[in-house]
Amino acid sequence: ALHEGHIVSAQELTVLLQPVFTQNSRNLILFLQDTLSIDDFTYLSESYGNKNPFQNEILQSSPSSLVLPAVDCEATRYLLSFLQESGDWKLTNVTHLDVSQLEVNTSKPNFLVIQLQPLVSDSNEISTLEAIAENDKIIGRLTMDLQEQGINFSVIYTAVRPSRIPRRTDVVGELRRQLMATEEEGSLSYPPLNVTTGNDVCILFYASNFSLKANSSVFIDLTNATFLTQNVDISSSECSDINTTLSLKYTKPVNGISSLEIRFLMTNKFYGGSARNWSSLDAVEIVQDGEKFAKFNVSAISAPAEYSFHCQLVGTSNLYPARLIPSNNEAKNWDVFISRLQIQGFNVENNQFSYASDCTGFFTPGIWMGLVTSIVLLWILAYGIHVIMQLTTNSRFDDPKGPALSVPQTE
């Protein structure tokens, strides 16, 4: 029995899925998407009529099913680590979308993790609809092949984080800037990526969405590989008191790219004007297949050396407050999208982010619009008062007992 508003925790999820873990035919398939909410099944199905993206009938044809409207974001990561630590499962990670050559050995329990293609977060709903429809076809093809082979299996379809987050009415009046430096650890969907030297953490990196687009056609979502499954090599990262480099190496992030390395180059300098040290992200470099080199200059990403840096949107778009500007021809072939970026490359204490210096200025467009509107209204009010003050009363009045009052035209 599910209660309204209840969010299933990691421990509750393990108990609910215990029959799947203990059954005779222990073949478990986890279809993992970047974002998904229970409302997507009804909203996307009803909004576009015959363009319903959920076409396969595995849920209806299954002898038993369990639908959980809300699951804690930590539960998915806990479930993955729980199954990976169990020695009974043969774990298979499928990061590419070609599942036709997937072979399942039924002699021992299998745990297949299928990384579905991400939903482009900054696109319109039609693109999201098409992406979900394509993922639905992948789910249908794989389950159909297993059924034709006579293999019994259980399927879990979930996501790393929700796509629709309702605003709580009881905290609307308390909304304020929330950064990771002040957030509780339990509220994060996943921990930040950290680079250590010895026993000390020297670099912290976090993003709610970290994705690229090559040649305006190949979309690469690195969020899950960087923070959730951590299928990323950070051994080439370097730390010092002056220069720090965060190196992220990925193997076969998508079909057609065998290797991809992304470098964040940061410096720590003393500036006499402010009489203090400032850390800045000077450049971002992308190396594809060890040959193609793209370099971006960075604007407006700096903070006091004791602080971390936070920005809601960072990328190549002109609309973002912190931009990555291409500095060579190869960089023009790449688009970078980073949301809720927080990075710190110097003076990391207690293995957590320091106070965050945000890229948003004090005068946002909304504040400017409010000021301009207020000035216009004040001007109208002042003009009205000025007009009213110019009104005068008559200095002479007609006396009914005397002769009629004659007013010259000049008055």
Side-chain angles (χ1 to χ4, degrees), residues 87-159:
D88 298 332
W89 295 93
K90 178 186 177 183
L91 178 63
T92 304
N93 281 294
V94 182
T95 56
H96 55 83
L97 301 181
D98 185 13
V99 296
S100 59
Q101 300 178 352
L102 185 64
E103 297 181 358
V104 179
N105 185 5
T106 57
S107 61
K108 62 182 303 183
N110 293 277
F111 178 41
L112 308 178
V113 180
I114 312 296
Q115 299 281 350
L116 298 175
Q117 68 172 351
L119 312 182
V120 184
S121 59
D122 60 342
S123 65
N124 54 31
E125 293 180 353
I126 298 296
S127 299
T128 303
L129 187 76
E130 295 173 351
I132 292 183
E134 185 63 28
N135 289 340
D136 186 73
K137 293 178 182 178
I138 295 173
I139 296 175
R141 279 200 306 268
L142 179 59
T143 54
M144 186 66 69
D145 291 342
L146 295 178
Q147 287 177 348
E148 292 177 354
Q149 297 178 26
I151 299 176
N152 296 324
F153 58 89
S154 299
V155 172
I156 300 176
Y157 182 29
T158 185

Side-chain angles (χ1 to χ4, degrees), residues 319-337:
L319 303 177
Y320 291 173
R323 287 194 58 207
L324 303 183
I325 305 172
S327 62
N328 61 2
N329 293 330
E330 184 63 31
K332 298 178 181 179
N333 299 327
W334 291 90
D335 294 322
V336 183
F337 312 95

Side-chain angles (χ1 to χ4, degrees), residues 107 129 237 300 371 374:
S107 61
L129 187 76
S237 301
L371 289 175
S374 300

Side-chain angles (χ1 to χ4, degrees), residues 18-49:
Q18 196 64 35
V20 179
F21 302 153
T22 57
Q23 64 184 356
N24 295 329
S25 58
R26 295 172 59 190
N27 295 310
L28 181 60
I29 306 174
L30 175 62
F31 290 102
L32 191 59
Q33 202 165 267
D34 58 343
T35 60
L36 184 69
S37 293
I38 193 69
D39 295 337
D40 293 337
F41 290 91
T42 54
Y43 175 76
L44 296 177
S45 300
E46 297 175 356
S47 300
Y48 300 99

Side-chain angles (χ1 to χ4, degrees), residues 179-196:
L179 303 183
M180 289 182 61
T182 58
E183 286 180 347
E184 297 181 359
E185 183 179 355
S187 64
L188 302 178
S189 57
Y190 42 75
L193 179 71
N194 61 75
V195 178
T196 59

